[in-house]
């Protein structure tokens, strides 16, 4: 079974360099590391394999904060980050760090000037996401990176929604740390990596302690099949990037055009600044949980809502963008990917249109 998963004599441990089987596995891991590095535009030793973006983000934020606390105790992030970042910042706040959370503008983009204004003499790190997971809004990374470099502050980017799908080019853009997960690009779950730029100023404290794997930053036996899967997925998605982007952009446009001709539709996040892989919208008068329930058998839709103490809390991302009322409580997210076809889009639009009709009849 294992041999089918990774195509190697996979029972061996990559850390066991005194026998051939161990050396073969180690070679495969290093090949995968080089592939990931080539696709991201960095060098192999700058890639640390982790269990996914959540762990990478924690390693980046907690790692930098705890290793450099004597130089400063201030971090900057945004109000629309994934919980992995926000909860990690909360934990650092509880441990005596100060965190500035920048609000986005109404279009979901963070103004780089707001980040520049938040930088203090004790700021250690800025953490921003590249593409938002709820709205698809793309943040102005180049401008933010230029500010961080100019002001001598480290920059971490959560690229869970963008790595592979968008060209990032770490050799051209001064990002210090970058997190990603394989399962966002059809790779296996439970594997991701953290890019850590090789520069003398960048010190990180590990989250866990043990062996010397992953340059001492992430101890534990390496999951060969997961790592090989991550590299294969990243290579594949990068190879087809332009073609996939065009196809997915067409599919999303078809969806918007067809659905808006049948029901009234509000889009959250202007299409020209959002990833074509994500669409966030609301239908006036229809709440997200009702629409999601009505379509659940046929379409996987999500709302950024969270259920706490029996009440539905709407998306903090959309709330931070200033949405309220129907738009806030009706917002749903759909995703598009390389495996969808125009026929899938027709079916999805039919399913939503029928659901809206049923809901309107019920409340009439
Ligand atoms: C933007 C973003 N960041 C971080 C994560 C966390 O990734 P994972 O659950 O793979 O650790 C996700 C997952 O949904 C995400 O969309």
């Amino acid at each position: 079974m294992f041999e089918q998963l990774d195509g190697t004599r996979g029972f061996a441990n990559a850390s066991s360099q005194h026998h051939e089987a161990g050396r073969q596995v180690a070679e495969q891991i290093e090949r995968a590391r080089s592939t990931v590095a080539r696709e991201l535009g960095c060098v192999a030793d700058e890639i640390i394999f982790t269990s996914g973006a959540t762990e990478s983000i924690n390693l980046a934020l907690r790692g930098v904060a705890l290793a450099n606390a004597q130089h400063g105790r201030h971090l900057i992030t945004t109000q629309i980050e994934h919980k992995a970042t926000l909860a990690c910042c909360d934990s650092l706040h509880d441990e005596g760090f100060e965190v500035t959370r920048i609000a986005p503008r109404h279009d979901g983009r963070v103004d780089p000037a707001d980040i520049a204004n938040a930088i203090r003499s004790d700021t250690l790190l800025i953490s921003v996401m590249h593409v938002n997971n709820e709205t698809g809004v793309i943040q102005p990374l180049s401008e933010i990176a230029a500010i961080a470099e100019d002001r001598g502050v480290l920059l971490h980017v959560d690229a869970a929604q963008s790595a592979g799908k968008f060209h990032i080019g770490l050799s051209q853009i001064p990002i210090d740390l970058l997190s990603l997960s394989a399962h966002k690009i059809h790779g296996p779950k439970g594997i991701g990596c953290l890019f850590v730029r090789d520069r003398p100023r960048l010190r990180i404290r590990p989250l866990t302690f043990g062996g010397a794997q992953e340059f001492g930053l992430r101890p534990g036996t390496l999951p060969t099949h997961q790592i090989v899967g991550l590299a294969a997925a990243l290579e594949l998605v990068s190879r087809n990037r332009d073609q996939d982007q065009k196809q997915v952009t067409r599919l999303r446009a078809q969806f918007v055009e067809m659905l808006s001709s049948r029901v009234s539709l509000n889009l959250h996040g202007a299409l020209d600044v959002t990833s074509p892989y994500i669409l966030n919208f609301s239908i006036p008068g229809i709440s997200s949980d009702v629409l999601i329930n009505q379509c659940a058998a046929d379409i996987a839709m999500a709302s950024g809502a969270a259920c706490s103490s029996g009440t539905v809390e709407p998306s903090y991302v959309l709330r931070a963008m200033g949405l309220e009322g129907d738009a806030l409580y009706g917002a749903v997210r759909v995703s598009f990917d390389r495996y969808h076809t125009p026929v899938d889009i027709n079916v999805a639009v039919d399913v939503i249109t029928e659901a809206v009709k049923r809901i309107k009849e019920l409340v009439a």
Side-chain angles (χ1 to χ4, degrees), residues 216-282:
L217 283 177
R218 212 282 187 160
T221 301
L222 290 164
T224 322
H225 53 297
Q226 300 286 80
I227 290 170
V228 169
L230 162 62
L234 193 58
E235 194 172 27
L236 192 65
V237 76
S238 305
R239 194 188 307 151
N240 296 318
R241 181 184 297 130
D242 294 346
Q243 192 184 318
D244 287 353
Q245 255 187 39
K246 276 192 202 123
Q247 180 196 334
V248 169
T249 303
R250 272 198 300 272
L251 292 174
R252 187 177 67 165
Q254 179 193 340
F255 180 89
V256 171
E257 201 182 311
M258 282 182 71
L259 191 59
S260 60
S261 72
R262 298 190 193 175
V263 298
S264 112
L265 202 62
N266 290 324
L267 301 183
H268 310 139
L271 294 188
D272 59 339
V273 291
T274 59
S275 159
Y277 291 87
I278 296 174
L279 183 73
N280 196 304
F281 65 91
S282 56

Side-chain angles (χ1 to χ4, degrees), residues 5 7 41 43 55 85 135 142 173 182 225 238-239 263 286 338-339:
L5 277 174
V43 295
E55 184 188 335
T85 299
T135 61
S142 306
I173 179 165
H225 53 297
S238 305
R239 194 188 307 151
V263 298
I286 311 268
R338 67 197 306 259
Y339 296 111

Side-chain angles (χ1 to χ4, degrees), residues 51-57 80-85 129-134 158-162 179-184 189-191 333:
S51 62
T54 298
E55 184 188 335
S56 299
I57 291 166
I80 53 169
E81 299 298 308
H82 188 270
K83 284 277 183 198
T85 299
M129 65 198 332
H130 187 191
V131 169
N132 184 271
N133 46 304
E134 286 186 38
D158 171 2
Q161 293 287 343
S162 65
S179 295
L180 64 92
S181 272
H183 67 98
K184 301 292 184 196
K189 296 181 181 72
I191 184 74
R333 185 200 72 179

Side-chain angles (χ1 to χ4, degrees), residues 135-147:
T135 61
V137 171
I138 304 166
Q139 297 301 333
L141 263 199
S142 306
E143 287 100 311
I144 295 170
I147 290 168

Side-chain angles (χ1 to χ4, degrees), residues 323-340:
L323 266 68
E324 41 190 36
D326 262 12
L328 183 61
Y329 286 89
V332 293
R333 185 200 72 179
V334 289
S335 306
F336 303 88
D337 77 31
R338 67 197 306 259
Y339 296 111
H340 287 135

